[in-house]
Amino acid sequence: MRRSTPLHPRWRRKLNGPYTDRRMHSLIPRILEITTLIAAVGLPQLWAGAVAAEPHGRREVESSSPIIEYVIPRAGAAPYSVAVNSFGVAWYVDQANSRIGRVDPETGQIKDFEMPSPGAAPHGIAIGRRGRIWYTATKLGKIGVLDIESGKIKEYPLPPGAKDPDTLLVHKNRIWFTAQRANACGYLDPHTGGVVVLPVTTPNARPHALAVAPDGGIWVTLFGTHRLARIDSKQATLLEIELPHKDARPRELAIDAAGNIWYTDPARSKLGRYDPKAKRFKEYDTVNRNAGPTAIAIGQDGRIWYNESYTNRMVAFDPKTKRSTTLEIPTEGAIVQHMVVDRKDGTLWLALSNTQRIGRIDVRPAAKTRTDGRQRAEDAPGSK
């Protein structure tokens, strides 16, 4: 019988020391999140590359645009989605505490508001007319709205056909939503309280992310299958579009100025693009073969930003040069479930799940980048 060679004492100390314990402890939330993601989409097809896939090209490390983190003072906070208003103030939903939070980037101050129904487990957030904050009370089957002037919250119950509202989109005075388990999309008319539900034809399609295109059409990812969907917002009809690969699972999406639909595919670690005019798909490999891309947004310079949930990195992909820029998220174990771009100055806001933080990427020129933001954000007082 072959005997194993004992480890050198120095390596035993490293493997058994407090550093390893701390590192493993910090990874536990991330491992749980990744396990949930894998259960939803299946194991990534690491070696089954798509015919149309292209590599990102040379990988570059950005040093002039650090990720600034704002620590939420609420114990156990779990930010899931984020939105930004016309004044550059970020709003988020705290899934664990059923609260809506506000982050002032100038002062670093964080304030939150308690939802009227406990156990809401909010997922989606969007900003509507007069700066009102809309959110989904996912576990309670409701959509709520916060009046920022009065601080009052009103909630609208949804019918059984939309029992678990997920993502939100405000478009043409309608509050559009997806409902994964109910397998439907729909909208709420805030003036009448009426709700229209659009069932998805494919069973267990799990409609998830929403985005509006330049032509007014609303696009949806069907996370439980290999399809996207387009909603005619005027006629309130839904059309499904099949992706080329049956093992694809589109999760989040963003739409560029030309109307191209960009989406993340965590099941296959791909970045996808669909051209509705030409009806053509194109795929790009992520920087890391096993990346688990989740959230996505398009910067003012046209770069496609997404999160590698398995590597704790943000990536900016330039479709013109095929080059990628990567940024390390400062706090280990973060998974960006959702992010949004401030259209005024190009700042990216991130919901850093599992870390009790909101992130910000200042993508303006280096001369304008604040160097004291992270310290101010972490030390700033907030409501408890």
Side-chain angles (χ1 to χ4, degrees), residues 164-238:
D164 61 324
D166 186 14
T167 305
L168 278 184
L169 173 71
V170 179
H171 179 61
K172 299 292 185 181
N173 298 324
R174 291 175 174 175
I175 315 302
W176 291 86
F177 62 87
T178 56
Q180 287 201 46
R181 288 186 295 122
N183 207 47
C185 301
Y187 69 83
L188 163 72
D189 185 334
H191 298 292
T192 66
V195 177
V196 173
V197 178
L198 306 175
V200 176
T201 303
T202 301
N204 302 315
R206 297 181 61 189
H208 179 50
L210 290 166
V212 62
D215 65 358
I218 296 173
W219 288 84
V220 188
T221 56
L222 302 181
F223 185 44
T225 184
H226 60 295
R227 288 174 171 85
L228 300 172
R230 183 187 185 276
I231 299 174
D232 185 320
S233 58
K234 294 181 180 179
Q235 302 296 325
T237 56
L238 186 147

Side-chain angles (χ1 to χ4, degrees), residues 59-67 301 303 305 314-316 324-328 361-366 369:
R59 173 176 162 182
E60 300 173 349
V61 177
E62 177 105 29
S63 59
S64 60
S65 298
I67 297 179
D301 59 0
R303 290 190 296 174
W305 286 85
M314 292 296 300
V315 179
S324 293
T325 299
T326 62
L327 285 176
E328 295 284 342
I361 303 177
D362 191 341
V363 294
R364 290 173 290 182
T369 301

Side-chain angles (χ1 to χ4, degrees), residues 47-61:
W47 308 110
V51 174
E54 290 185 1
H56 274 186
R58 193 174 75 186
R59 173 176 162 182
E60 300 173 349
V61 177

Side-chain angles (χ1 to χ4, degrees), residues 194-340:
V195 177
V196 173
V197 178
L198 306 175
V200 176
T201 303
T202 301
N204 302 315
R206 297 181 61 189
H208 179 50
L210 290 166
V212 62
D215 65 358
I218 296 173
W219 288 84
V220 188
T221 56
L222 302 181
F223 185 44
T225 184
H226 60 295
R227 288 174 171 85
L228 300 172
R230 183 187 185 276
I231 299 174
D232 185 320
S233 58
K234 294 181 180 179
Q235 302 296 325
T237 56
L238 186 147
L239 175 67
E240 297 183 24
I241 295 97
E242 188 172 350
L243 275 63
H245 299 272
K246 293 189 180 299
D247 54 353
R249 293 295 181 268
R251 176 158 176 163
E252 301 289 339
L253 82 165
I255 303 176
D256 65 23
N260 295 306
I261 317 301
W262 291 85
Y263 59 89
T264 54
D265 179 1
R268 300 169 56 246
S269 283
K270 301 288 183 183
L271 178 67
R273 187 191 71 189
Y274 176 61
D275 182 344
K277 296 177 182 177
K279 296 183 179 181
R280 291 180 182 176
F281 286 90
K282 195 174 187 64
E283 290 184 333
Y284 301 88
D285 294 322
T286 52
V287 172
N288 292 277
R289 186 179 292 273
N290 184 13
T294 49
I296 188 172
I298 300 177
Q300 288 185 327
D301 59 0
R303 290 190 296 174
I304 315 299
W305 286 85
Y306 66 91
N307 168 237
E308 290 191 346
S309 62
Y310 299 167
T311 67
N312 214 64
R313 292 190 183 99
M314 292 296 300
V315 179
F317 170 61
D318 189 333
K320 296 179 181 179
T321 65
K322 306 298 189 294
R323 291 183 176 181
S324 293
T325 299
T326 62
L327 285 176
E328 295 284 342
I329 298 175
T331 301
E332 192 171 359
I335 292 179
V336 184
Q337 300 283 6
H338 183 255
M339 62 178 162
V340 68

Side-chain angles (χ1 to χ4, degrees), residues 83-91 102 127 131 133 148 342-344:
V84 60
N85 67 13
S86 58
F87 300 102
V89 174
W91 291 81
R102 177 186 186 275
I127 297 177
I133 313 300
I148 59 173
D342 185 338
R343 293 300 171 188
K344 279 194 172 182

